[in-house]
Amino acid sequence: MTQAKNGDTVRINYTGRLADGTQFDASGGEPLQFTLGEGQVIPGLETHVEGMEVGAKSTVTVPAAAAYGPHRPEAVVTIDRARVPDNINIDIGTRLQTRTREGRPMQVTVVGVDDASVKLDGNHPLAGRDLVFDVELVEIVQAA
């Protein structure tokens, strides 16, 4: 059988879990399609799919370094609560979009709130976590 290789466009079914078994994502009813080698999925998952044959199923643990990277403490900031407009929900866990000093959009998560301040985390929610994927290579849509 043909193995998936760099440059191939593939379709996979997958379920992503944390090490404790908590599911954080799944392909659902429609397989995920991406091109190997183009960085469209996390590096550890892409590396795992490369070399798989159509119909193959496997489980892989992707270390944080090959997923969303380490949790960076410098990406957690505390701002004055008055800087957040009153119409913005700032409950813990809320995902917000803000802008960097350079004007680029950036996703942050509210991780703390008190009367005077709001603590925002600019890390990806899965940063610093090892991820476990159950993967099935459904199809090689286009071979390189």
Side-chain angles (χ1 to χ4, degrees):
M1 279 200 116
T2 305
Q3 293 182 329
K5 64 186 178 312
N6 192 47
D8 288 350
T9 299
V10 299
R11 292 170 47 96
I12 64 168
N13 285 324
Y14 73 94
T15 301
R17 301 183 316 277
L18 301 176
D20 68 5
T22 304
Q23 182 177 318
F24 63 84
D25 197 13
S27 54
E30 188 66 29
L32 174 66
Q33 181 172 309
F34 61 96
T35 301
L36 291 168
E38 291 193 0
Q40 298 168 338
V41 298
I42 60 172
L45 182 58
E46 185 172 62
T47 299
H48 182 72
V49 172
E50 193 169 343
M52 287 181 71
E53 295 180 350
V54 173
K57 295 179 182 182
S58 61
T59 299
V60 60
T61 298
V62 178
Y68 294 100
H71 185 272
R72 298 172 302 114
E74 68 274 12
V76 180
V77 298
T78 300
I79 63 169
D80 186 337
R81 188 171 181 151
R83 290 183 53 197
V84 181
D86 291 337
N87 65 327
I88 301 293
N89 176 14
I90 54 171
D91 293 336
I92 292 178
T94 300
R95 298 278 294 157
L96 301 172
Q97 182 169 312
T98 187
R99 295 207 176 269
T100 65
R101 289 187 179 129
E102 296 78 29
R104 293 188 309 266
M106 177 179 164
Q107 293 288 319
V108 296
T109 304
V110 177
V111 294
V113 178
D114 62 30
D115 290 339
S117 63
V118 178
K119 192 174 193 179
L120 303 172
D121 187 345
N123 287 287
H124 186 282
L126 296 172
R129 310 287 295 265
D130 294 341
L131 308 177
V132 180
F133 290 94
D134 297 320
V135 181
E136 175 188 15
L137 179 58
V138 176
E139 178 181 9
I140 298 174
V141 180
Q142 180 177 0

